[in-house]
Amino acid sequence: QVQLVESGGGWVQPGGSLRLSCAVSGGGLRINGMEWYRQAPGKQREAVASINTGGTNYSDSVKGRFTISRDNAKNTAYLEMSSLEPEDTAVYICRAYGFRFSIRFDSWGLGTQVTVSS
């Protein structure tokens, strides 16, 4: 079974920074891509950033402020968030997809709360 655990969320003032982590566990993994989404109360889930063999992509709302990276040896993705705004307040959720023992997987974490307020 593939499990994803996010960490690093919390409260930060506008203009501040946070670093989120997403650790993937489960033997025999070959992770093709990892993505970050966010969901604010009363709003639809929004894709924020992705990283795969083709490179990285960002939503227009975070481009230039957020950076996604990945440590393949640790099966972990990171989301560096800077110049945070109250509009960035949401639950941030990680997704990973690829193969485990040659069987395709597409798994999600439970999320970590990010709150930006003064």
Side-chain angles (χ1 to χ4, degrees):
Q1 185 176 359
V2 179
Q3 290 189 322
L4 280 67
V5 178
E6 302 96 335
S7 61
W11 172 84
V12 64
Q13 290 186 331
S17 300
L18 280 176
R19 186 196 197 207
L20 305 182
S21 299
C22 172
V24 186
S25 62
L29 292 174
R30 181 164 63 91
I31 301 173
N32 290 345
M34 297 187 73
E35 301 175 347
W36 285 97
Y37 292 75
R38 66 186 181 186
Q39 187 158 20
K43 294 188 177 181
Q44 287 190 331
R45 186 170 293 187
E46 172 192 14
V48 173
S50 66
I51 185 167
N52 54 41
T53 54
T56 58
N57 279 290
Y58 301 91
S59 67
D60 288 343
S61 61
V62 308
K63 198 171 295 183
R65 300 188 298 122
F66 290 11
T67 301
I68 188 171
S69 62
R70 185 175 153 186
D71 185 332
N72 292 330
K74 296 182 178 179
N75 287 335
T76 299
Y78 304 95
L79 187 67
E80 299 272 4
M81 306 185 296
S82 62
S83 302
L84 283 162
E85 305 165 352
E87 292 73 24
D88 295 316
T89 295
V91 175
Y92 283 72
I93 306 156
C94 181
R95 175 192 177 210
Y97 57 90
F99 293 87
R100 181 174 184 258
F101 296 119
S102 302
I103 298 173
R104 189 179 299 273
F105 77 89
D106 188 336
S107 299
W108 295 76
L110 297 178
T112 184
Q113 176 70 46
V114 171
T115 302
V116 184
S117 72
S118 53

